[in-house]
């Protein structure tokens, strides 16, 4: 049996039947059952009731994987789980797959995910925690959607914010207990993979299967200089600007701004955050009881 879990708020919701047909074609010899992922309140119970021979296919993108992982936090999968490409950003698949691939097995990538703590709450993430203008772009996009706008260009929105309302601030980045201070910081995302923001190769040397994370700090620039650097991020060429771009690697990374900033976690938004604390675990057994709780 193949269970297809779809996220109605992801890109697949726009043409669900066509996407379902594509998945069924991949598993045409199997019987399929379709479920709304968001409506599965107790996802552990859903997986517990599956036979070990059953397969689960997740429809969506980065945000959909995030939902799955946080609902299953601390649970060891006994079934094969696949992601079928149907999101808007798809940075996870961009990182781990060839360009023409539309499906990937998730199990090995979601066993030991990093954990971010914000305002006392913990969240797993698959790709990144965007902190700075990248978080502000997501909140601005959410505000536009609330007003009824459907087509939103994130790159255009980022450029507009750079040139108008968004201001850089000072930030302190602590990596494995070593503190680094930066001025005029525009963004300081903590990355588990290489890509975020729909194709920006922010940390080209990051390996999501390692026990380290990367923090890419864009600093000591004005708005025009940042705008000039911005296009190079899509190819990972921004790191050549060594005086303006600093990439720090470590297992434990804390970023603290002197003014509250918006944060996005694989696209999910938290507003007005002063500090984030991120940890990457090499082995799931070293997590304490608190980290194995299910985030609802």
């Amino acid at each position: 049996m193949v269970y297809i879990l779809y996220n109605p708020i992801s890109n697949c919701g726009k043409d669900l039947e066509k996407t379902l047909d594509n998945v069924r074609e991949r598993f045409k010899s199997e019987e399929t059952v379709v479920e709304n992922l968001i409506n599965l309140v107790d996802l552990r119970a859903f997986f517990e009731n599956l036979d070990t021979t059953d397969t689960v296919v997740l429809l969506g993108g980065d945000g959909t994987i995030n939902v799955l992982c946080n609902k299953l936090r601390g649970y060891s999968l006994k079934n094969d789980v696949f992601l079928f490409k149907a999101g808007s950003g798809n940075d996870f698949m961009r990182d781990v797959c060839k360009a023409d691939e539309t499906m990937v097995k998730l199990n090995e990538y979601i066993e030991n995910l990093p954990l971010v703590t914000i305002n006392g709450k913990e969240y797993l993430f698959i790709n990144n925690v965007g902190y700075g203008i990248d978080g502000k772009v997501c909140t601005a996009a959410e505000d536009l959607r609330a007003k009824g706008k459907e087509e939103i260009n994130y790159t255009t929105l980022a450029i507009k914010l750079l040139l108008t309302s968004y201001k850089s601030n000072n930030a302190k980045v602590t990596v494995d207990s070593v503190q680094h201070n930066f001025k005029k910081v525009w963004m300081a995302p903590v990355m588990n993979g290489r890509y975020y923001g729909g194709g920006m190769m922010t940390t080209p040397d990051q390996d999501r299967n390692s026990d380290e994370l990367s923090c890419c700090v864009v600093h000591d620039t004005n708005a025009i200089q940042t705008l000039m650097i911005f296009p190079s991020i899509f190819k990972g060429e921004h790191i050549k600007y060594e005086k303006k771009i600093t990439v720090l690697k470590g297992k434990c990374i804390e970023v603290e701004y002197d003014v509250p900033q918006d944060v996005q976690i694989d696209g999910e938004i938290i507003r007005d955050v002063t500090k984030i604390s991120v940890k990457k675990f090499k082995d799931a057994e070293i997590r304490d009881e608190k980290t194995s709780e299910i985030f609802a």
Side-chain angles (χ1 to χ4, degrees), residues 128-139 186-189 196 264:
N128 77 98
V129 180
Y131 199 19
I133 192 170
D134 37 359
K136 187 62 177 178
V137 167
C138 288
T139 56
W186 293 92
M187 65 182 196
Y196 85 141
Q264 61 88 10

Side-chain angles (χ1 to χ4, degrees), residues 3 12 14 30 37 73 95 115 143 183 208 217 248 296:
Y3 289 85
C12 75
K14 297 178 180 179
E30 302 279 348
L37 174 64
R73 199 152 114 198
D95 193 28
L115 182 80
D143 292 342
K183 295 181 178 180
R208 67 172 58 246
V217 188
L248 302 167

